[in-house]
Amino acid sequence: MPQISFHGHSVLQIRTDEHTILIDPFITGNPLCDLNADDIKCDYIILSHGHGDHLGDTIDIARRNDAEVIAMVELAHYCKDHGVKKVQTLNLGGCFKAPFGQVKLTLAHHSSSTPDGAYAGDPAGIIIHFDNKTIYHAGDTALFFDMKLIGEMHKIDFAFMPAGDYFTMGPDDFVKAAEFVNADISIPIHYNTFPVIKIDEHELCRKVEAIGKKCLIMKPGDVIDF
């Protein structure tokens, strides 16, 4: 059965019957992550942007698994220049039809550079369409009104959106984003990893539910079957 698992910060692992996909695999150095980067086996890695807490272990994992990296064109080329053999060089609004489904990059309002200071293109959100489900991973972003357009154009089942404040939108903006995106379930990510992004996630969930939306708190290792 296909499933999504959360592994702290912004790390998602998606398993289908035939493929394993990682999103933003910040594993080494992530105090909340329950995975060991050396044990990871995957076919695809999708990146929202180039910051170290999202690019993470991508290069090593992709090399070891001969995995394909899907990312903004500049970031994909960066990965290729560092030994990743297979990349998809998307840009905002572009889609890639992978064997597991369709990947689309959306707007995100943030910044993007690699840990060594290289320009990594624009940041992005990620929409993945499977046979009968749609996942939205917002990456790192501020609240922006076009989230409403994303929700109108795609029936989103699970929306993973940042909530930690300071670097991204915080709890109050997350509530508005949940309204805009109108997903079946909104799930906060990018919080509590470091002291500066510490929040009360349960209070956040209550605020989302107060506007009539569903919110789910996932702990590292938690799994959603779909």
Side-chain angles (χ1 to χ4, degrees):
M1 177 182 292
Q3 59 181 213
I4 314 166
S5 53
F6 173 63
H7 300 283
H9 204 58
S10 299
V11 185
L12 297 185
Q13 184 171 242
I14 303 168
R15 296 182 185 273
T16 69
D17 293 337
E18 297 179 355
H19 300 96
T20 299
I21 304 104
L22 287 177
I23 299 179
D24 286 357
F26 170 44
I27 297 168
T28 302
N30 179 350
L32 298 182
C33 192
D34 60 319
L35 302 175
N36 184 329
D38 293 336
D39 297 334
I40 295 291
K41 297 185 184 303
C42 71
D43 306 293
Y44 295 89
I45 300 172
I46 309 174
L47 297 174
S48 65
H49 64 294
H51 289 162
D53 59 329
H54 295 262
L55 177 64
D57 297 276
T58 294
I59 304 297
D60 290 340
I61 293 173
R63 284 171 172 173
R64 190 172 64 254
N65 288 274
D66 194 30
E68 190 162 3
V69 173
I70 303 170
M72 281 289 293
V73 56
E74 294 87 353
L75 183 53
H77 280 303
Y78 175 89
C79 292
K80 193 169 186 178
D81 290 343
H82 286 75
V84 176
K85 292 182 180 179
K86 297 186 291 188
V87 299
Q88 293 294 332
T89 56
L90 297 186
N91 213 313
L92 296 177
C95 295
F96 168 58
K97 293 183 179 179
F100 59 84
Q102 179 175 279
V103 179
K104 180 178 182 178
L105 297 186
T106 71
L107 291 176
H109 285 276
H110 194 59
S111 58
S112 182
S113 59
T114 63
D116 58 4
Y119 173 61
D122 285 345
I126 302 158
I127 294 177
I128 307 176
H129 295 290
F130 296 92
D131 287 341
N132 60 351
K133 295 292 180 183
T134 299
I135 298 168
Y136 173 46
H137 185 297
D140 276 8
T141 189
L143 177 68
F144 60 102
F145 192 69
D146 279 355
M147 283 181 162
K148 186 175 178 63
L149 184 60
I150 290 170
E152 289 176 356
M153 293 184 66
H154 307 274
K155 186 195 177 302
I156 295 169
D157 296 280
F158 305 105
F160 294 85
M161 302 183 290
D165 213 348
Y166 199 85
F167 300 113
T168 67
M169 61 185 185
D172 290 340
D173 287 353
F174 181 96
V175 176
K176 179 57 71 171
E179 178 186 333
F180 282 170
V181 174
N182 196 31
D184 286 351
I185 302 176
S186 294
I187 302 163
I189 58 174
H190 205 281
Y191 69 92
N192 290 0
T193 320
F194 315 111
V196 74
I197 57 172
K198 180 75 174 174
I199 66 167
D200 183 340
E201 65 270 30
H202 299 289
E203 176 62 22
L204 165 64
C205 211
R206 285 190 288 270
K207 289 181 178 179
V208 173
E209 291 169 349
I211 65 167
K213 305 296 181 183
K214 291 183 179 179
C215 182
L216 175 65
I217 303 300
M218 295 185 72
K219 297 177 181 178
D222 283 354
V223 175
I224 299 172
D225 294 320
F226 66 93

